[in-house]
């Protein structure tokens, strides 16, 4: 057995343990055994990290670097990420159980996000205002907000960190990032690239720990913006924490995304899209297409094909490129899924396939599962399971499909499969979600905004707007008159 490796946090450019020496184990999802020791940040550690970020952004070299120079650091970071994608992907797979072929690809593609924001860094401009008063020249500067607290969950941490760090750093902010307690190693390995990329110490700090560390960070008085990705319970705490510092907040939360298949769809394509949507990443994706809504006239045939395809999925070692579906990240995840699959059946759902752990594999494996649901009010239909479990509903008319899709507290993403062009547009516009994919699923890009509505949160990540959101305009009024200020008691 490999020795357990000790990891440290990145604070003010130095790698440090927790100030009181406390640490916790990171467990391998494959064996359930500890494989890394991670510092449990104390409140004093969090305070040190936030103060370092504040100094770096106000008096350190970062504060006077030009936007073009900041962009160069981001470009180098992207280059390094692409070079090290194999090793970073491996660390992520080891810590989360996600398939290496996905984490390796993701690490490489994430370089594109840093390259996009590298190019965008010196495109942030203020404006001159056509002011309604004589002798005044009024303009705005777009300034960074200050210290950004970035809090990420365990799935796709590199991606979720990139969509926060890219725009925040391009806009001149500094960051304290809290890794997930379930998989901190990929974030700490990623942290090694910042020095090499030319970022001054303190610009990016990476801390580890549980809820208390997250609380200390997000309620710290010097934090100006919180960028959170995670579940709704933690999100409610985050919003409350922000009452302490009035930080701006963006929330990227979970979903129960509808995947609508009309009878006029390309059925092979829809089956593949549906498989990618729910069984990709073992369903542990915020945009998982976990609510199949299929037209009645093709439902039996569609489900037959889908069930056969689901049964044929090769489940196994995520390090093996032949594997198509790996384990769940934690045992807690497994229990949550088992509970809801049992409850769904008690409430009348019919299990078409799966619903159990595959024999002879590790602790947290779970079979691809399809539940045919007789009614939309079953608990499973609008509960995020974060696993490979698809619930199925049937519809007769387009209006009914839209109503079922919108019958949800969530609103992150949706898929629509139909070859009718006018219907594609109608349905895409009618669905209340932040992202709608038509005849495709799970595509992301640094150029396209990402985020939800309703219970899936607010704020957007990626795209130019995301960077804009990490700035604040300052309005500067200049009196150009040669005359002295006249009456001090009259507002101009
Ligand atoms: P989680 O909400 O339990 O934890 C997320 C992070 O918040 C962790 O780092 C955790 O330590 C921290 N945290 C927990 N309580 C906190 C508190 N009181 N104050 C501050 N920080 C706190 O989420 P998880 O179970 O690790 O991840 C799964 C969830 O993340 C799912 O709901 C999933 O849909 C969501 N998610 C959303 C997106 C998106 O972009 N919309 C992407 C991936 C995951």
């Amino acid at each position: 057995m490999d020795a357990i490796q000790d990891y440290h946090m990145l604070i003010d450019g130095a790698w440090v343990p927790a100030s009181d020496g406390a640490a916790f184990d990171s467990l391998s999802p494959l064996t359930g055994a500890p494989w890394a020791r991670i510092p449990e940040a104390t409140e004093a550690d969090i305070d040190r990290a936030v103060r370092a970020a504040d100094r770096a952004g106000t008096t350190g070299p970062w504060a006077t670097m030009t936007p073009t120079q900041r962009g160069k650091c981001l470009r180098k970071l992207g280059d390094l990420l692409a070079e090290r994608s194999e090793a970073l992907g491996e660390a992520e797979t080891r810590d989360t159980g996600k398939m290496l072929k996905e984490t390796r690809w993701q690490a490489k593609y994430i370089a594109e996000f840093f390259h996009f924001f590298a190019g965008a860094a010196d495109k942030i401009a203020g404006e001159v205002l056509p002011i309604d008063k004589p002798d005044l020249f009024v303009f705005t500067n777009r300034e960074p907000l200050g210290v950004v607290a970035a809090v990420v969950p365990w799935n796709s941490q590199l991606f979720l960190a990139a969509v926060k760090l890219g725009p925040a750093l391009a806009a001149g902010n500094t960051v304290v990032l809290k890794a997930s307690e379930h998989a901190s190693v990929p974030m700490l390995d990623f942290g090694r690239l910042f020095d090499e990329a030319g970022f001054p110490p303190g610009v990016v700090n990476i801390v580890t720990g549980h809820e208390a560390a997250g609380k200390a960070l997000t309620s710290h008085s010097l934090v100006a913006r919180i960028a959170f990705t995670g579940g709704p319970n933690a999100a409610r705490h985050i919003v409350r924490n922000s009452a302490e510092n009035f930080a701006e907040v963006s929330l990227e939360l979970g979903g129960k995304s509808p995947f609508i298949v009309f009878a006029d769809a390309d059925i092979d394509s829809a089956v593949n899209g549906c498989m990618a949507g729910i069984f990709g990443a073992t369903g542990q994706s915020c945009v998982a297409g976990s609510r199949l809504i299929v037209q009645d006239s093709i439902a039996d045939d569609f489900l037959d094909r889908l069930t056969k395809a689901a049964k044929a999925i090769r489940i196994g070692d995520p390090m093996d490129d032949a594997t198509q579906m790996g384990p769940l990240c934690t045992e807690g995840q497994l229990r949550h899924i088992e509970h809801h699959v049992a409850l769904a059946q008690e409430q009348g759902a019919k299990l078409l396939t799966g619903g159990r752990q595959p024999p002879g594999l590790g602790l947290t494996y779970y079979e691809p599962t399809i539940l045919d649901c007789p009614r939309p009010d079953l608990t499973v239909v609008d509960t995020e399971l974060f696993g490979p479990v698809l619930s199925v509903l049937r519809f007769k008319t387009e209006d009914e499909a839209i109503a079922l899709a919108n019958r949800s507290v969530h609103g992150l993403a949706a898929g629509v499969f139909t070859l009718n062009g006018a219907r594609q547009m109608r349905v895409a516009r009618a669905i209340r979600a932040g992202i709608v994919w038509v005849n495709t699923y799970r595509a992301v890009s640094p150029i396209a905004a990402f985020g939800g509505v309703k219970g899936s949160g607010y704020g957007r990540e990626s795209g130019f707007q995301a960077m804009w959101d990490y700035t604040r305009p300052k309005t500067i009024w200049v009196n150009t008159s040669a005359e002295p200020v006249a009456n001090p008691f009259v507002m101009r």
Side-chain angles (χ1 to χ4, degrees):
M1 204 173 115
D2 294 343
I4 298 177
Q5 214 179 318
D6 266 314
Y7 281 81
H8 287 161
M9 302 183 283
L10 177 61
I11 299 180
D12 206 8
W15 290 95
V16 295
S19 50
D20 64 358
F24 61 95
D25 288 333
S26 194
L27 306 182
S28 156
L30 295 180
T31 61
W35 77 284
R37 295 275 299 158
I38 309 294
E40 180 70 57
T42 62
E43 220 176 305
D45 295 325
I46 298 292
D47 183 57
R48 229 153 48 77
V50 175
R51 286 186 192 283
D54 183 54
R55 267 196 314 279
T58 50
T59 56
W62 185 248
T64 51
M65 273 166 82
T66 64
T68 309
Q69 287 170 320
R70 292 200 300 258
K72 283 186 177 154
C73 294
L74 282 164
R75 178 158 295 282
K76 178 76 181 157
L77 180 67
D79 293 346
L80 292 170
L81 196 62
E83 269 171 38
R84 316 273 163 85
S85 57
E86 181 76 27
L88 287 165
E90 241 180 75
E92 194 162 0
T93 292
R94 229 178 140 185
D95 225 4
T96 65
K98 263 182 93 158
M99 283 186 308
L100 179 58
K101 64 182 170 204
E102 182 161 353
T103 54
R104 172 205 289 141
W105 174 85
Q106 222 177 26
K108 203 166 204 147
Y109 185 56
I110 285 162
E112 301 286 332
F113 285 74
F114 288 111
H115 287 162
F116 174 84
F117 287 109
D122 55 10
K123 315 291 181 292
I124 306 171
E127 55 185 348
V128 175
L129 304 178
I131 206 75
D132 58 342
K133 298 172 201 309
D135 302 327
L136 283 171
F137 183 75
V138 184
F139 65 100
T140 59
N141 256 355
R142 283 263 158 196
E143 298 190 341
L145 301 174
V147 178
V148 174
V151 181
V152 291
W154 52 267
N155 70 314
S156 304
Q157 283 197 75
L158 279 173
F159 170 72
L160 296 169
V163 294
K164 295 171 178 56
L165 290 171
L169 295 171
N173 299 278
T174 56
V175 180
V176 180
L177 181 137
K178 194 193 89 61
S180 163
E181 57 272 38
H182 297 303
S184 310
V185 172
M187 284 293 92
L188 295 171
D189 282 353
F190 171 56
R192 305 218 159 261
L193 308 184
F194 287 92
D195 182 38
E196 221 179 307
F199 288 91
V203 172
V204 176
N205 306 271
I206 301 183
V207 295
T208 49
H210 290 74
E211 184 177 334
K215 180 165 188 234
L217 174 60
T218 52
S219 51
H220 196 289
S221 61
L222 289 175
V223 164
R225 162 77 195 261
I226 304 167
F228 174 78
T229 300
N233 291 337
R236 286 191 179 88
H237 286 290
I238 296 284
V239 174
R240 281 184 210 114
N241 297 349
S242 74
E244 298 301 319
N245 50 20
F246 301 132
E248 294 181 24
V249 180
S250 59
L251 301 174
E252 296 287 349
L253 313 180
K256 194 76 187 184
S257 298
F259 188 101
I260 309 175
V261 183
F262 286 92
D264 61 11
D266 173 333
I267 298 300
D268 288 340
S269 173
V271 168
N272 282 337
C274 187
M275 295 274 289
I278 186 60
F279 301 130
T282 318
Q284 300 168 114
S285 161
C286 53
V287 293
S290 46
R291 251 185 328 140
L292 171 64
I293 298 175
V294 57
Q295 197 148 22
D296 213 20
S297 56
I298 57 157
D300 288 339
D301 177 49
F302 190 83
L303 289 175
D304 195 42
R305 290 203 211 185
L306 194 67
T307 305
K308 282 197 183 93
K311 281 185 201 289
I313 289 175
R314 259 195 309 276
I315 310 174
D317 181 353
M319 291 287 185
D320 181 350
D321 280 350
T323 296
Q324 293 174 320
M325 209 177 93
L328 296 162
C329 179
T330 65
E331 214 182 322
Q333 255 323 95
L334 174 72
R335 301 290 164 239
H336 172 65
I337 289 165
E338 283 177 335
H339 165 76
H340 278 284
V341 170
L343 180 64
Q345 290 174 87
E346 278 166 33
Q347 292 178 344
K350 185 173 160 207
L351 184 69
L352 300 185
T353 186
R356 56 173 198 157
Q357 291 202 260
L361 286 175
L363 201 63
T364 56
Y365 283 89
Y366 197 75
E367 285 187 355
T369 297
I370 303 177
L371 291 164
D372 199 353
C373 299
R375 302 180 315 277
D377 63 350
L378 266 58
T379 310
V380 73
V381 172
D382 201 21
T383 302
E384 185 186 49
L385 299 197
F386 223 56
V389 180
L390 180 70
S391 43
V392 183
L393 295 170
R394 296 158 196 247
F395 71 92
K396 288 201 168 60
T397 65
E398 184 179 305
D399 283 349
E400 206 187 329
I402 293 167
L404 282 173
N406 286 339
R407 192 183 196 278
S408 173
V409 297
H410 303 97
L412 185 54
V416 181
F417 274 70
T418 170
L419 293 177
N420 178 327
R423 171 175 282 154
Q424 292 168 1
M425 300 306 294
R426 275 196 307 273
V427 178
R429 290 171 69 164
I431 289 178
R432 291 202 294 278
I435 308 156
V436 179
W437 287 294
V438 178
N439 293 333
T440 184
Y441 206 79
R442 264 184 105 203
V444 290
S445 160
I447 300 160
F450 183 97
V453 300
K454 301 197 283 182
S456 294
Y458 49 80
R460 289 294 177 268
E461 295 192 314
S462 294
F464 207 78
Q465 179 64 39
M467 186 175 64
W468 214 244
D469 290 347
Y470 281 99
T471 70
R472 189 178 281 148
K474 175 185 278 174
T475 311
I476 301 171
W477 299 70
V478 181
N479 184 358
T480 58
S481 163
E483 301 299 318
V485 174
N487 186 344
F489 301 107
V490 176
M491 203 175 171
R492 288 196 77 180

